[in-house]
Amino acid sequence: MLRAAGKRLIGAAGIRPAAAGDSPGAAMAVAARRGYHERVVDHYTNPRNVGAFDKDDADVGTGLVGAPACGDVMKMQIRVDQASGRIVDACFKTFGCGSAIASSSVATEWVKGKQMEEVVAIKNTEIAKHLSLPPVKLHCSMLAEDAIKAAVKDYEAKKTKPAKADE
């Protein structure tokens, strides 16, 4: 019954779900009718930096954050050059909606090549503005900001642990 109602709504609006064989342009056209900006669709359909590093590596910081209200979970990892303090690589795994995946993808692109002090200054409002997220999806950009900060905090905690062990 719900499926039939959904088909009537989709058919009535002239919107059809993207099919597996559709071109990326077709997927963007469908998404545009649904109100998502093309950057969200691009980062959702072609996410950058998906993957994982070994969380036990001394040069890797891992941030795991979630939003119980919507069920989104985001894991972001950064690899830091210990000599310069510059983030040389970043990756993520996100379980959630397209806006959460797009926010993670953008965040990993933005942190690469930057100093630790610079990345903790990245605000969710900047990510939301870049992706043109609607107000109901702002929590996705907040998760990305929190994941960045958690990854930096984890790296810094690892960095101070060996110093304490030597004492």
Side-chain angles (χ1 to χ4, degrees):
M1 185 168 153
L2 287 174
R3 187 175 295 160
K7 285 182 181 179
R8 280 196 304 272
L9 284 173
I10 290 172
I15 300 171
R16 67 169 182 78
D22 285 352
S23 69
M28 284 191 187
V30 169
R33 286 184 291 216
R34 291 185 181 161
Y36 284 101
H37 192 275
E38 65 184 40
R39 286 191 199 110
V40 174
V41 177
D42 180 39
H43 279 276
Y44 171 71
T45 56
N46 305 302
R48 282 68 150 183
N49 310 307
V50 175
F53 302 133
D54 182 359
K55 64 179 172 54
D56 296 326
D57 284 353
D59 63 343
V60 171
T62 302
L64 182 64
V65 295
C70 66
D72 292 348
V73 177
M74 189 178 293
K75 179 175 87 170
M76 183 175 297
Q77 293 181 299
I78 56 173
R79 185 177 302 278
V80 181
D81 176 32
Q82 295 178 342
S84 66
R86 186 172 298 277
I87 297 172
V88 293
D89 203 0
C91 64
F92 78 94
K93 285 189 179 181
T94 296
F95 177 80
C97 65
S99 297
I101 293 167
S103 295
S104 304
S105 179
V106 166
T108 58
E109 285 196 320
W110 285 6
V111 301
K112 282 184 174 182
K114 292 195 172 128
Q115 294 290 338
M116 304 284 275
E117 301 80 30
E118 292 177 80
V119 300
V120 294
I122 294 174
K123 298 291 177 209
N124 70 295
T125 52
E126 296 167 342
I127 296 169
K129 185 177 179 182
H130 178 75
L131 292 172
S132 299
L133 293 177
V136 72
K137 293 294 182 179
L138 291 180
H139 67 278
C140 299
S141 62
M142 290 178 202
L143 273 179
E145 178 186 347
D146 292 344
I148 292 168
K149 290 179 177 171
V152 168
K153 184 178 178 181
D154 181 60
Y155 172 76
E156 288 175 344
K158 282 183 181 178
K159 199 168 75 172
T160 57
K161 253 187 219 176
K164 288 180 182 175
D166 291 341
E167 292 175 1

